[in-house]
Short mmCIF file of all heavy atoms in Angstrom, two decimals:
data_model
loop_
_atom_site.label_atom_id
_atom_site.label_comp_id
_atom_site.label_asym_id
_atom_site.label_seq_id
_atom_site.Cartn_x
_atom_site.Cartn_y
_atom_site.Cartn_z
N MET A 1 -14.16 1.62 -33.90
CA MET A 1 -14.06 1.58 -32.44
C MET A 1 -15.41 1.20 -31.88
O MET A 1 -16.42 1.85 -32.16
CB MET A 1 -13.61 2.97 -31.93
CG MET A 1 -13.41 2.99 -30.44
SD MET A 1 -12.49 4.42 -29.90
CE MET A 1 -13.71 5.67 -29.87
N GLY A 2 -15.46 0.17 -31.07
CA GLY A 2 -16.70 -0.30 -30.51
C GLY A 2 -17.07 0.35 -29.20
O GLY A 2 -16.23 1.03 -28.58
N ILE A 3 -18.28 0.17 -28.78
CA ILE A 3 -18.73 0.71 -27.50
C ILE A 3 -18.47 -0.32 -26.41
O ILE A 3 -18.78 -1.50 -26.60
CB ILE A 3 -20.24 1.03 -27.56
CG1 ILE A 3 -20.46 2.12 -28.60
CG2 ILE A 3 -20.74 1.46 -26.20
CD1 ILE A 3 -21.93 2.42 -28.84
N MET A 4 -17.90 0.13 -25.30
CA MET A 4 -17.56 -0.77 -24.20
C MET A 4 -18.44 -0.45 -22.98
O MET A 4 -18.73 0.69 -22.73
CB MET A 4 -16.09 -0.63 -23.81
CG MET A 4 -15.12 -1.04 -24.87
SD MET A 4 -13.42 -0.85 -24.36
CE MET A 4 -13.34 -1.96 -22.99
N PHE A 5 -18.87 -1.50 -22.27
CA PHE A 5 -19.67 -1.32 -21.05
C PHE A 5 -18.72 -1.38 -19.89
O PHE A 5 -17.92 -2.28 -19.74
CB PHE A 5 -20.69 -2.43 -20.96
CG PHE A 5 -21.41 -2.46 -19.63
CD1 PHE A 5 -22.45 -1.61 -19.38
CD2 PHE A 5 -21.01 -3.34 -18.64
CE1 PHE A 5 -23.11 -1.64 -18.16
CE2 PHE A 5 -21.64 -3.39 -17.44
CZ PHE A 5 -22.71 -2.53 -17.19
N ARG A 6 -18.81 -0.36 -19.00
CA ARG A 6 -18.09 -0.32 -17.77
C ARG A 6 -18.96 0.16 -16.65
O ARG A 6 -19.73 1.09 -16.84
CB ARG A 6 -16.86 0.55 -17.86
CG ARG A 6 -15.78 -0.03 -18.72
CD ARG A 6 -14.53 0.71 -18.58
NE ARG A 6 -13.50 0.11 -19.43
CZ ARG A 6 -12.29 0.55 -19.50
NH1 ARG A 6 -11.91 1.60 -18.84
NH2 ARG A 6 -11.44 -0.07 -20.29
N LYS A 7 -18.86 -0.41 -15.49
CA LYS A 7 -19.67 0.00 -14.34
C LYS A 7 -18.80 -0.03 -13.11
O LYS A 7 -17.99 -0.93 -12.94
CB LYS A 7 -20.85 -0.96 -14.19
CG LYS A 7 -21.74 -0.70 -13.06
CD LYS A 7 -22.78 0.34 -13.40
CE LYS A 7 -23.73 0.45 -12.23
NZ LYS A 7 -24.66 1.53 -12.41
N ARG A 8 -18.93 0.97 -12.25
CA ARG A 8 -18.17 1.03 -11.02
C ARG A 8 -19.15 1.18 -9.84
O ARG A 8 -20.07 1.96 -9.89
CB ARG A 8 -17.24 2.23 -11.00
CG ARG A 8 -16.20 2.18 -12.07
CD ARG A 8 -15.40 3.43 -12.10
NE ARG A 8 -14.48 3.43 -10.97
CZ ARG A 8 -13.67 4.44 -10.65
NH1 ARG A 8 -13.73 5.56 -11.30
NH2 ARG A 8 -12.86 4.33 -9.61
N LYS A 9 -18.92 0.39 -8.80
CA LYS A 9 -19.70 0.49 -7.56
C LYS A 9 -18.72 0.89 -6.45
O LYS A 9 -17.68 0.24 -6.29
CB LYS A 9 -20.35 -0.86 -7.18
CG LYS A 9 -21.44 -1.26 -8.10
CD LYS A 9 -22.71 -0.58 -7.73
CE LYS A 9 -23.87 -1.22 -8.48
NZ LYS A 9 -25.11 -0.69 -8.07
N LYS A 10 -19.07 1.94 -5.71
CA LYS A 10 -18.19 2.42 -4.64
C LYS A 10 -18.80 2.10 -3.27
O LYS A 10 -20.00 2.31 -3.07
CB LYS A 10 -17.97 3.90 -4.75
CG LYS A 10 -17.20 4.33 -6.01
CD LYS A 10 -17.06 5.83 -6.10
CE LYS A 10 -15.79 6.20 -5.40
NZ LYS A 10 -15.48 7.62 -5.48
N PHE A 11 -17.98 1.56 -2.42
CA PHE A 11 -18.34 1.26 -1.02
C PHE A 11 -17.28 1.87 -0.12
O PHE A 11 -16.34 1.20 0.30
CB PHE A 11 -18.44 -0.23 -0.80
CG PHE A 11 -19.47 -0.94 -1.65
CD1 PHE A 11 -19.07 -1.58 -2.78
CD2 PHE A 11 -20.79 -0.87 -1.32
CE1 PHE A 11 -19.98 -2.21 -3.60
CE2 PHE A 11 -21.74 -1.52 -2.11
CZ PHE A 11 -21.34 -2.18 -3.26
N GLY A 12 -17.37 3.19 0.11
CA GLY A 12 -16.33 3.90 0.85
C GLY A 12 -15.05 3.91 0.01
O GLY A 12 -15.07 4.27 -1.16
N PRO A 13 -13.91 3.47 0.56
CA PRO A 13 -12.67 3.48 -0.20
C PRO A 13 -12.53 2.30 -1.15
O PRO A 13 -11.64 2.26 -1.97
CB PRO A 13 -11.59 3.40 0.91
CG PRO A 13 -12.26 2.69 2.01
CD PRO A 13 -13.70 3.15 1.97
N LEU A 14 -13.45 1.32 -1.12
CA LEU A 14 -13.40 0.15 -1.98
C LEU A 14 -14.23 0.41 -3.23
O LEU A 14 -15.38 0.83 -3.16
CB LEU A 14 -13.96 -1.08 -1.24
CG LEU A 14 -13.97 -2.36 -2.02
CD1 LEU A 14 -12.55 -2.84 -2.33
CD2 LEU A 14 -14.73 -3.43 -1.25
N ILE A 15 -13.64 0.13 -4.42
CA ILE A 15 -14.32 0.32 -5.71
C ILE A 15 -14.30 -1.02 -6.43
O ILE A 15 -13.25 -1.63 -6.61
CB ILE A 15 -13.61 1.39 -6.55
CG1 ILE A 15 -13.55 2.72 -5.79
CG2 ILE A 15 -14.29 1.54 -7.89
CD1 ILE A 15 -12.63 3.76 -6.38
N LEU A 16 -15.50 -1.48 -6.84
CA LEU A 16 -15.60 -2.70 -7.65
C LEU A 16 -15.85 -2.32 -9.08
O LEU A 16 -16.73 -1.51 -9.38
CB LEU A 16 -16.76 -3.56 -7.12
CG LEU A 16 -16.67 -3.97 -5.67
CD1 LEU A 16 -17.91 -4.77 -5.25
CD2 LEU A 16 -15.43 -4.78 -5.37
N ASN A 17 -15.10 -2.92 -10.00
CA ASN A 17 -15.16 -2.60 -11.43
C ASN A 17 -15.78 -3.79 -12.17
O ASN A 17 -15.40 -4.94 -11.98
CB ASN A 17 -13.79 -2.32 -12.01
CG ASN A 17 -13.11 -1.18 -11.28
OD1 ASN A 17 -13.63 -0.08 -11.26
ND2 ASN A 17 -11.99 -1.46 -10.66
N PHE A 18 -16.78 -3.51 -13.03
CA PHE A 18 -17.48 -4.53 -13.82
C PHE A 18 -17.39 -4.21 -15.31
O PHE A 18 -17.34 -3.04 -15.68
CB PHE A 18 -18.96 -4.60 -13.41
CG PHE A 18 -19.16 -4.99 -11.97
CD1 PHE A 18 -19.20 -4.04 -10.99
CD2 PHE A 18 -19.29 -6.32 -11.63
CE1 PHE A 18 -19.45 -4.42 -9.68
CE2 PHE A 18 -19.48 -6.68 -10.31
CZ PHE A 18 -19.54 -5.72 -9.34
N THR A 19 -17.34 -5.25 -16.12
CA THR A 19 -17.43 -5.09 -17.58
C THR A 19 -18.64 -5.90 -18.04
O THR A 19 -19.41 -6.42 -17.22
CB THR A 19 -16.18 -5.64 -18.27
OG1 THR A 19 -16.06 -7.05 -18.04
CG2 THR A 19 -14.92 -4.93 -17.83
N GLU A 20 -18.84 -6.00 -19.34
CA GLU A 20 -19.99 -6.76 -19.87
C GLU A 20 -19.94 -8.21 -19.52
O GLU A 20 -20.93 -8.92 -19.48
CB GLU A 20 -20.12 -6.57 -21.40
CG GLU A 20 -18.99 -7.16 -22.21
CD GLU A 20 -17.81 -6.22 -22.36
OE1 GLU A 20 -17.90 -5.05 -21.97
OE2 GLU A 20 -16.79 -6.68 -22.88
N LYS A 21 -18.73 -8.74 -19.21
CA LYS A 21 -18.55 -10.16 -18.85
C LYS A 21 -18.72 -10.41 -17.36
O LYS A 21 -18.65 -11.52 -16.88
CB LYS A 21 -17.19 -10.64 -19.27
CG LYS A 21 -17.04 -10.65 -20.78
CD LYS A 21 -15.72 -11.18 -21.20
CE LYS A 21 -15.56 -11.15 -22.69
NZ LYS A 21 -14.25 -11.64 -23.14
N GLY A 22 -18.88 -9.33 -16.57
CA GLY A 22 -19.04 -9.45 -15.11
C GLY A 22 -17.95 -8.75 -14.33
O GLY A 22 -17.39 -7.78 -14.81
N PHE A 23 -17.62 -9.28 -13.16
CA PHE A 23 -16.63 -8.66 -12.28
C PHE A 23 -15.28 -8.60 -12.97
O PHE A 23 -14.81 -9.59 -13.54
CB PHE A 23 -16.55 -9.44 -10.99
CG PHE A 23 -15.53 -8.87 -10.02
CD1 PHE A 23 -15.78 -7.71 -9.34
CD2 PHE A 23 -14.36 -9.55 -9.82
CE1 PHE A 23 -14.85 -7.22 -8.44
CE2 PHE A 23 -13.43 -9.08 -8.90
CZ PHE A 23 -13.68 -7.90 -8.24
N SER A 24 -14.62 -7.44 -12.87
CA SER A 24 -13.33 -7.25 -13.55
C SER A 24 -12.17 -7.11 -12.57
O SER A 24 -11.19 -7.85 -12.63
CB SER A 24 -13.42 -6.00 -14.44
OG SER A 24 -12.14 -5.67 -14.93
N SER A 25 -12.29 -6.18 -11.62
CA SER A 25 -11.20 -5.97 -10.64
C SER A 25 -11.76 -5.12 -9.52
O SER A 25 -12.89 -4.66 -9.52
CB SER A 25 -10.02 -5.23 -11.29
OG SER A 25 -10.39 -3.94 -11.71
N TRP A 26 -10.92 -4.94 -8.51
CA TRP A 26 -11.30 -4.04 -7.39
C TRP A 26 -10.14 -3.10 -7.12
O TRP A 26 -8.99 -3.36 -7.47
CB TRP A 26 -11.66 -4.87 -6.14
CG TRP A 26 -10.59 -5.76 -5.61
CD1 TRP A 26 -10.32 -7.02 -6.04
CD2 TRP A 26 -9.63 -5.46 -4.61
NE1 TRP A 26 -9.28 -7.55 -5.33
CE2 TRP A 26 -8.82 -6.57 -4.43
CE3 TRP A 26 -9.38 -4.33 -3.82
CZ2 TRP A 26 -7.78 -6.63 -3.53
CZ3 TRP A 26 -8.35 -4.39 -2.90
CH2 TRP A 26 -7.57 -5.54 -2.75
N SER A 27 -10.45 -1.97 -6.55
CA SER A 27 -9.48 -0.95 -6.23
C SER A 27 -9.73 -0.38 -4.84
O SER A 27 -10.86 -0.45 -4.34
CB SER A 27 -9.58 0.21 -7.25
OG SER A 27 -9.42 -0.24 -8.54
N ILE A 28 -8.69 0.20 -4.28
CA ILE A 28 -8.81 0.90 -3.02
C ILE A 28 -8.28 2.32 -3.27
O ILE A 28 -7.24 2.48 -3.88
CB ILE A 28 -7.95 0.25 -1.91
CG1 ILE A 28 -8.47 -1.15 -1.60
CG2 ILE A 28 -7.92 1.12 -0.67
CD1 ILE A 28 -7.64 -1.91 -0.59
N LYS A 29 -9.06 3.32 -2.85
CA LYS A 29 -8.66 4.70 -3.01
C LYS A 29 -8.79 5.42 -1.68
O LYS A 29 -9.88 5.50 -1.13
CB LYS A 29 -9.50 5.40 -4.06
CG LYS A 29 -9.08 6.84 -4.28
CD LYS A 29 -9.69 7.39 -5.57
CE LYS A 29 -9.34 8.81 -5.82
NZ LYS A 29 -7.98 9.12 -6.01
N VAL A 30 -7.67 5.93 -1.18
CA VAL A 30 -7.61 6.63 0.08
C VAL A 30 -6.91 7.98 -0.19
O VAL A 30 -5.73 8.00 -0.49
CB VAL A 30 -6.87 5.86 1.17
CG1 VAL A 30 -6.81 6.65 2.48
CG2 VAL A 30 -7.48 4.50 1.39
N GLY A 31 -7.69 9.05 -0.13
CA GLY A 31 -7.13 10.36 -0.44
C GLY A 31 -6.66 10.40 -1.87
O GLY A 31 -7.40 10.09 -2.81
N ARG A 32 -5.40 10.78 -2.11
CA ARG A 32 -4.85 10.86 -3.46
C ARG A 32 -4.18 9.56 -3.91
O ARG A 32 -3.80 9.40 -5.04
CB ARG A 32 -3.80 11.97 -3.52
CG ARG A 32 -4.40 13.34 -3.34
CD ARG A 32 -3.30 14.38 -3.42
NE ARG A 32 -3.83 15.69 -3.35
CZ ARG A 32 -3.85 16.54 -4.39
NH1 ARG A 32 -3.34 16.17 -5.54
NH2 ARG A 32 -4.38 17.70 -4.27
N TRP A 33 -4.07 8.56 -2.99
CA TRP A 33 -3.44 7.31 -3.29
C TRP A 33 -4.44 6.23 -3.68
O TRP A 33 -5.52 6.12 -3.08
CB TRP A 33 -2.66 6.82 -2.08
CG TRP A 33 -2.06 5.46 -2.22
CD1 TRP A 33 -0.87 5.17 -2.85
CD2 TRP A 33 -2.59 4.22 -1.79
NE1 TRP A 33 -0.65 3.83 -2.80
CE2 TRP A 33 -1.67 3.21 -2.16
CE3 TRP A 33 -3.76 3.87 -1.14
CZ2 TRP A 33 -1.90 1.89 -1.87
CZ3 TRP A 33 -3.98 2.55 -0.84
CH2 TRP A 33 -3.06 1.53 -1.21
N SER A 34 -4.12 5.37 -4.69
CA SER A 34 -5.00 4.28 -5.04
C SER A 34 -4.19 3.07 -5.47
O SER A 34 -3.03 3.20 -5.87
CB SER A 34 -5.98 4.68 -6.14
OG SER A 34 -5.28 4.97 -7.33
N TRP A 35 -4.82 1.89 -5.37
CA TRP A 35 -4.18 0.62 -5.79
C TRP A 35 -5.22 -0.20 -6.51
O TRP A 35 -6.38 -0.29 -6.08
CB TRP A 35 -3.67 -0.13 -4.57
CG TRP A 35 -2.96 -1.39 -4.91
CD1 TRP A 35 -1.65 -1.53 -5.31
CD2 TRP A 35 -3.48 -2.74 -4.87
NE1 TRP A 35 -1.35 -2.84 -5.54
CE2 TRP A 35 -2.46 -3.60 -5.25
CE3 TRP A 35 -4.72 -3.24 -4.54
CZ2 TRP A 35 -2.64 -4.97 -5.35
CZ3 TRP A 35 -4.89 -4.61 -4.63
CH2 TRP A 35 -3.86 -5.44 -5.00
N ASN A 36 -4.84 -0.85 -7.63
CA ASN A 36 -5.77 -1.64 -8.43
C ASN A 36 -5.34 -3.09 -8.42
O ASN A 36 -4.17 -3.40 -8.59
CB ASN A 36 -5.81 -1.12 -9.89
CG ASN A 36 -6.80 -1.86 -10.73
OD1 ASN A 36 -6.50 -2.95 -11.19
ND2 ASN A 36 -7.97 -1.30 -10.92
N SER A 37 -6.28 -4.01 -8.22
CA SER A 37 -5.95 -5.44 -8.11
C SER A 37 -5.53 -6.05 -9.43
O SER A 37 -4.73 -6.97 -9.45
CB SER A 37 -7.15 -6.21 -7.58
OG SER A 37 -8.23 -6.20 -8.49
N ARG A 38 -6.03 -5.56 -10.54
CA ARG A 38 -5.69 -6.12 -11.85
C ARG A 38 -4.25 -5.73 -12.24
O ARG A 38 -3.45 -6.58 -12.63
CB ARG A 38 -6.66 -5.69 -12.92
CG ARG A 38 -6.19 -6.10 -14.34
CD ARG A 38 -7.22 -5.88 -15.35
NE ARG A 38 -7.98 -7.12 -15.40
CZ ARG A 38 -9.01 -7.32 -16.16
NH1 ARG A 38 -9.49 -6.34 -16.87
NH2 ARG A 38 -9.61 -8.48 -16.18
N SER A 39 -3.93 -4.46 -12.23
CA SER A 39 -2.63 -4.01 -12.68
C SER A 39 -1.61 -4.07 -11.54
O SER A 39 -0.41 -3.96 -11.79
CB SER A 39 -2.71 -2.58 -13.23
OG SER A 39 -3.13 -1.68 -12.19
N ARG A 40 -2.09 -4.25 -10.32
CA ARG A 40 -1.24 -4.22 -9.13
C ARG A 40 -0.32 -3.02 -9.10
O ARG A 40 0.86 -3.11 -8.80
CB ARG A 40 -0.43 -5.52 -9.01
CG ARG A 40 -1.30 -6.73 -8.89
CD ARG A 40 -0.48 -7.96 -8.64
NE ARG A 40 -1.32 -9.17 -8.66
CZ ARG A 40 -1.90 -9.68 -7.58
NH1 ARG A 40 -1.78 -9.11 -6.43
NH2 ARG A 40 -2.64 -10.76 -7.69
N ALA A 41 -0.92 -1.88 -9.47
CA ALA A 41 -0.13 -0.63 -9.56
C ALA A 41 -0.59 0.36 -8.49
O ALA A 41 -1.79 0.48 -8.22
CB ALA A 41 -0.29 -0.01 -10.93
N HIS A 42 0.35 1.07 -7.93
CA HIS A 42 0.07 2.18 -7.05
C HIS A 42 -0.01 3.43 -7.88
O HIS A 42 0.76 3.62 -8.80
CB HIS A 42 1.18 2.37 -6.02
CG HIS A 42 1.38 1.19 -5.12
ND1 HIS A 42 0.71 1.07 -3.94
CD2 HIS A 42 2.14 0.10 -5.25
CE1 HIS A 42 1.05 -0.07 -3.34
NE2 HIS A 42 1.94 -0.67 -4.13
N ARG A 43 -0.96 4.32 -7.55
CA ARG A 43 -1.09 5.59 -8.27
C ARG A 43 -1.33 6.70 -7.26
O ARG A 43 -2.08 6.50 -6.30
CB ARG A 43 -2.25 5.53 -9.28
CG ARG A 43 -2.42 6.79 -10.10
CD ARG A 43 -3.56 6.69 -11.05
NE ARG A 43 -3.44 5.58 -11.98
CZ ARG A 43 -2.96 5.68 -13.20
NH1 ARG A 43 -2.52 6.85 -13.64
NH2 ARG A 43 -2.89 4.64 -13.97
N VAL A 44 -0.70 7.83 -7.48
CA VAL A 44 -0.88 9.02 -6.63
C VAL A 44 -1.27 10.20 -7.54
O VAL A 44 -0.57 10.49 -8.51
CB VAL A 44 0.42 9.37 -5.83
CG1 VAL A 44 0.20 10.64 -5.00
CG2 VAL A 44 0.81 8.21 -4.95
N ASP A 45 -2.41 10.80 -7.24
CA ASP A 45 -2.85 11.97 -7.97
C ASP A 45 -2.02 13.16 -7.56
O ASP A 45 -1.88 13.45 -6.36
CB ASP A 45 -4.32 12.26 -7.75
CG ASP A 45 -5.22 11.18 -8.26
OD1 ASP A 45 -4.83 10.50 -9.22
OD2 ASP A 45 -6.32 11.02 -7.70
N LEU A 46 -1.41 13.86 -8.54
CA LEU A 46 -0.62 15.06 -8.31
C LEU A 46 -1.43 16.27 -8.70
O LEU A 46 -2.45 16.14 -9.43
CB LEU A 46 0.67 14.98 -9.10
CG LEU A 46 1.59 13.80 -8.76
CD1 LEU A 46 2.77 13.77 -9.71
CD2 LEU A 46 2.06 13.88 -7.29
N PRO A 47 -1.02 17.47 -8.31
CA PRO A 47 -1.78 18.67 -8.68
C PRO A 47 -1.89 18.80 -10.19
O PRO A 47 -0.98 18.46 -10.95
CB PRO A 47 -0.93 19.80 -8.09
CG PRO A 47 -0.18 19.17 -6.98
CD PRO A 47 0.08 17.76 -7.44
N GLY A 48 -3.03 19.35 -10.65
CA GLY A 48 -3.25 19.55 -12.06
C GLY A 48 -3.59 18.23 -12.75
O GLY A 48 -4.13 17.31 -12.13
N PRO A 49 -3.27 18.05 -14.02
CA PRO A 49 -3.61 16.85 -14.78
C PRO A 49 -2.57 15.71 -14.64
O PRO A 49 -2.58 14.79 -15.41
CB PRO A 49 -3.67 17.37 -16.22
CG PRO A 49 -2.63 18.44 -16.26
CD PRO A 49 -2.73 19.09 -14.89
N LEU A 50 -1.70 15.82 -13.65
CA LEU A 50 -0.60 14.84 -13.49
C LEU A 50 -0.91 13.76 -12.49
O LEU A 50 -1.70 13.98 -11.55
CB LEU A 50 0.66 15.56 -13.07
CG LEU A 50 1.13 16.73 -13.96
CD1 LEU A 50 2.30 17.44 -13.32
CD2 LEU A 50 1.49 16.21 -15.34
N SER A 51 -0.32 12.60 -12.68
CA SER A 51 -0.38 11.53 -11.69
C SER A 51 0.93 10.72 -11.76
O SER A 51 1.61 10.76 -12.75
CB SER A 51 -1.58 10.63 -11.93
OG SER A 51 -1.42 9.91 -13.10
N TRP A 52 1.24 10.01 -10.67
CA TRP A 52 2.45 9.18 -10.60
C TRP A 52 1.95 7.73 -10.45
O TRP A 52 1.07 7.43 -9.65
CB TRP A 52 3.30 9.59 -9.40
CG TRP A 52 4.43 8.69 -9.18
CD1 TRP A 52 5.65 8.72 -9.81
CD2 TRP A 52 4.51 7.65 -8.23
NE1 TRP A 52 6.45 7.75 -9.32
CE2 TRP A 52 5.79 7.06 -8.32
CE3 TRP A 52 3.64 7.15 -7.28
CZ2 TRP A 52 6.20 6.01 -7.53
CZ3 TRP A 52 4.03 6.09 -6.48
CH2 TRP A 52 5.32 5.52 -6.63
N LYS A 53 2.58 6.79 -11.19
CA LYS A 53 2.17 5.41 -11.13
C LYS A 53 3.40 4.53 -11.02
O LYS A 53 4.42 4.74 -11.67
CB LYS A 53 1.43 5.06 -12.44
CG LYS A 53 0.96 3.63 -12.53
CD LYS A 53 0.24 3.39 -13.83
CE LYS A 53 -0.15 1.96 -13.99
NZ LYS A 53 -0.76 1.69 -15.30
N GLN A 54 3.30 3.51 -10.15
CA GLN A 54 4.38 2.55 -10.00
C GLN A 54 3.81 1.15 -10.22
O GLN A 54 2.94 0.68 -9.44
CB GLN A 54 5.01 2.60 -8.59
CG GLN A 54 6.12 1.61 -8.42
CD GLN A 54 6.69 1.63 -7.03
OE1 GLN A 54 6.08 2.11 -6.10
NE2 GLN A 54 7.87 1.11 -6.87
N ASP A 55 4.22 0.49 -11.28
CA ASP A 55 3.78 -0.87 -11.58
C ASP A 55 4.51 -1.86 -10.67
O ASP A 55 5.67 -1.66 -10.32
CB ASP A 55 4.04 -1.23 -13.04
CG ASP A 55 3.21 -0.39 -14.00
OD1 ASP A 55 2.06 -0.06 -13.63
OD2 ASP A 55 3.70 -0.10 -15.07
N LYS A 56 3.87 -3.02 -10.40
CA LYS A 56 4.51 -4.05 -9.58
C LYS A 56 5.71 -4.62 -10.30
O LYS A 56 6.73 -4.92 -9.71
CB LYS A 56 3.52 -5.15 -9.27
CG LYS A 56 4.11 -6.24 -8.43
CD LYS A 56 3.15 -7.37 -8.22
CE LYS A 56 3.84 -8.46 -7.38
NZ LYS A 56 3.15 -9.68 -7.41
N SER A 57 5.65 -4.72 -11.61
CA SER A 57 6.75 -5.34 -12.39
C SER A 57 8.00 -4.48 -12.35
O SER A 57 9.10 -4.99 -12.52
CB SER A 57 6.33 -5.49 -13.87
OG SER A 57 5.99 -4.25 -14.42
N ARG A 58 7.88 -3.17 -12.06
CA ARG A 58 9.05 -2.30 -12.02
C ARG A 58 9.58 -2.15 -10.60
O ARG A 58 10.66 -1.61 -10.40
CB ARG A 58 8.70 -0.93 -12.55
CG ARG A 58 8.38 -0.97 -14.00
CD ARG A 58 8.18 0.42 -14.53
NE ARG A 58 7.88 0.37 -15.96
CZ ARG A 58 7.82 1.42 -16.73
NH1 ARG A 58 8.06 2.62 -16.22
NH2 ARG A 58 7.53 1.32 -17.98
N ALA A 59 8.83 -2.58 -9.60
CA ALA A 59 9.25 -2.37 -8.20
C ALA A 59 10.33 -3.36 -7.83
O ALA A 59 10.50 -4.40 -8.37
CB ALA A 59 8.06 -2.51 -7.28
#
């Protein structure tokens, strides 16, 4: 298993994700809800270690 480089920059609710090759994706997080540009998935954090995710392909 290799070591991977990941970096996140936060600007309020906007999050920019970088890898060793450069810019990867962006996300928006408002409260418990978030959306990612790469996976185009909605995610809601639930109490405890649970979360709910809806992929664009399943909608």
Side-chain angles (χ1 to χ4, degrees):
M1 183 164 82
I3 297 174
M4 295 179 63
F5 171 81
R6 289 192 179 179
K7 179 84 175 173
R8 296 175 76 186
K9 291 279 190 175
K10 294 179 91 177
F11 300 99
L14 180 65
I15 302 167
L16 302 177
N17 302 300
F18 297 91
T19 64
E20 65 275 353
K21 294 181 181 180
F23 179 73
S24 171
S25 65
W26 59 275
S27 303
I28 296 176
K29 182 165 176 65
V30 179
R32 293 179 176 251
W33 175 83
S34 64
W35 183 81
N36 183 280
S37 67
R38 171 171 268 177
S39 63
R40 298 187 186 269
H42 297 271
R43 182 180 301 264
V44 177
D45 295 332
L46 300 174
L50 304 174
S51 67
W52 173 81
K53 180 179 175 185
Q54 180 183 19
D55 294 327
K56 181 183 178 195
S57 60
R58 294 185 180 190

